[in-house]
Amino acid sequence: MEANSAKKRKSVWNTIVAQHELIIMSVPLLLYKILFSYVPIAGWAMAFQDYKPSIRSFWKQKWVGFDNFVNLFTGLNGERFLRDLKNTLGQSFLTLLLGYIGAISLALLLNEVKNTTFKKIVQNITYMPHFLSWVIVTGLVSTMLAIPTSGGIINDVLIRLGLIDEPIMFLSEPKYFWWIVAFSNLWKEMGWNTIIYLAAMTSIDPTLYEAAVIDGANRYQKMWHITLPGIKSTIVVLLIMNIGHLLEAGFEIQYFLGNGLVVEKAEIIDIFVLKYGIQMGNYSLATAAGIFKTFVSIILISIANFIADRLGEEKLI
């Protein structure tokens, strides 16, 4: 037993010595991560204080236990927070669903394009919106959804097709806001998100396609029975990662396109933190909301990882 332990320790030490250059090079990155990702966690103590920055030092604030978390879910703040939680989850789910379907579909179609020039043109066109800031994108979206006389191409097309008689005020009616967020994200990120799927498709064994052709499979059957199963592990890993971000529905698009008429559907948790936490000097409430987001994200990603493991798929942790 002792001999095995000694042998194991020696093996670990030999591995460290053999890889000491890599270990030394990773130290700055490790310190960077600790400094900017873990040290700030000490600020979570603010959620358990009645934090007043101008009165006394950080560790001499009045400690209030879980009062800020109770305040987060009760009274007027509780009504706002639960509404914003619902909006965050709804917008994130629609964005995730449309984003997955759009990116995978586009990647499958691009993978079937044999004309390299045309394929590169399509890729460049679909990639470009990714590099636009949300300020520009929300400006474009706002113009496209305006009335026809103000450049609203969506209303113009719908009227010309006879689908509507009067222009729809998309940004004034709450029921459209979640879909506006989802389709804006789809337009901006769909092309960029295909990169990973296209890379995964290159690792599929070409002989599988050749065998399918011999068996008489058409193009759609090859996509369904070879390409999609070939990138299944990539899809699962990305899904797990994205589920962990379900409470991060964005910020800029809701902030720039939201207004008083659609606030009941536009306001999300990050805007709640800004409006009712930071801007009102209630840093403790804002920190409590941030901690809630973190714990829910950890739970969601753990559940998704567990389900993937039970189904025999790739897992992240």
Side-chain angles (χ1 to χ4, degrees):
M1 186 73 178
E2 291 182 358
N4 289 335
S5 299
K7 187 177 180 181
K8 189 175 181 180
R9 284 196 297 272
K10 186 177 180 180
S11 175
V12 172
W13 177 248
N14 289 337
T15 302
I16 293 173
V17 171
Q19 299 180 353
H20 68 280
E21 294 96 345
L22 295 174
I23 293 173
I24 292 172
M25 285 192 292
S26 66
V27 168
L29 295 175
L30 180 62
L31 293 176
Y32 173 84
K33 201 65 182 175
I34 292 172
L35 182 61
F36 291 103
S37 297
Y38 292 96
V39 172
I41 291 177
W44 281 9
M46 201 184 301
F48 305 95
Q49 299 173 333
D50 181 18
Y51 184 71
K52 305 294 183 189
S54 60
I55 295 179
R56 53 184 76 90
S57 66
F58 183 80
W59 296 109
K60 293 182 179 178
Q61 299 285 329
K62 179 182 178 183
W63 293 88
V64 295
F66 289 91
D67 286 1
N68 289 308
F69 291 94
V70 174
N71 188 25
L72 192 63
F73 291 99
T74 57
L76 184 57
N77 279 331
E79 291 178 12
R80 290 168 177 162
F81 185 75
L82 293 176
R83 177 198 63 190
D84 295 350
L85 175 61
K86 178 184 174 184
N87 289 337
T88 304
L89 288 171
Q91 293 177 22
S92 289
F93 180 76
L94 279 180
T95 301
L96 180 64
L97 181 66
L98 290 182
Y100 255 75
I101 294 174
I104 293 172
S105 300
L106 180 61
L108 287 170
L109 295 174
L110 286 174
N111 191 53
E112 293 298 319
V113 174
K114 304 306 176 188
N115 186 316
T116 307
T117 304
F118 177 75
K119 184 177 180 178
K120 286 184 177 179
I121 291 173
V122 173
Q123 284 179 297
N124 285 325
I125 291 173
T126 54
Y127 291 170
M128 289 302 289
H130 171 78
F131 298 100
L132 298 176
S133 75
W134 274 112
V135 177
I136 298 173
V137 172
T138 51
L140 292 172
V141 171
S142 180
T143 302
M144 291 172 67
L145 296 177
I147 58 177
T149 53
S150 298
I153 189 172
I154 302 296
N155 272 313
D156 192 23
V157 170
L158 293 176
I159 291 174
R160 289 177 186 275
L161 292 175
L163 297 176
I164 58 175
D165 297 322
E166 297 291 332
I168 298 173
M169 307 301 289
F170 287 102
L171 294 176
S172 300
E173 297 190 29
K175 63 181 179 181
Y176 295 121
F177 198 84
W178 288 9
W179 292 101
I180 292 172
V181 171
F183 277 103
S184 299
N185 276 288
L186 177 67
W187 177 79
K188 188 175 186 296
E189 303 295 345
M190 180 176 65
W192 187 255
N193 290 338
T194 60
I195 293 175
I196 296 176
Y197 297 118
L198 287 170
M201 289 174 189
T202 60
S203 64
I204 299 174
D205 188 351
T207 59
L208 294 175
Y209 293 104
E210 295 171 4
V213 171
I214 293 172
D215 291 339
N218 60 33
R219 179 167 293 183
Y220 299 105
Q221 289 172 325
K222 287 189 289 182
M223 290 165 64
W224 183 256
H225 294 290
I226 298 176
T227 309
L228 275 177
I231 63 171
K232 188 171 65 173
S233 59
T234 303
I235 294 173
V236 172
V237 170
L238 291 178
L239 181 63
I240 294 171
M241 293 173 67
N242 285 320
I243 285 176
H245 294 284
L246 271 182
L247 289 187
E248 294 180 6
F251 176 81
E252 295 94 339
I253 185 169
Q254 292 85 357
Y255 188 76
F256 290 125
L257 292 181
N259 56 66
L261 296 173
V262 297
V263 66
E264 64 183 84
K265 291 292 184 181
E267 195 169 280
I268 58 173
I269 293 177
D270 287 341
I271 295 179
F272 173 90
V273 169
L274 176 67
K275 288 176 64 177
Y276 309 112
I278 297 173
Q279 288 183 345
M280 297 180 71
N282 197 345
Y283 302 105
S284 298
L285 183 69
T287 307
I291 292 175
F292 172 79
K293 275 185 61 179
T294 302
F295 273 97
V296 171
S297 297
I298 292 172
I299 292 170
L300 287 174
I301 201 169
S302 299
I303 292 173
N305 195 67
F306 174 77
I307 293 174
D309 185 35
R310 299 294 292 180
L311 294 176
E313 302 293 345
E314 291 287 335
K315 57 180 186 175
L316 199 61
I317 303 173

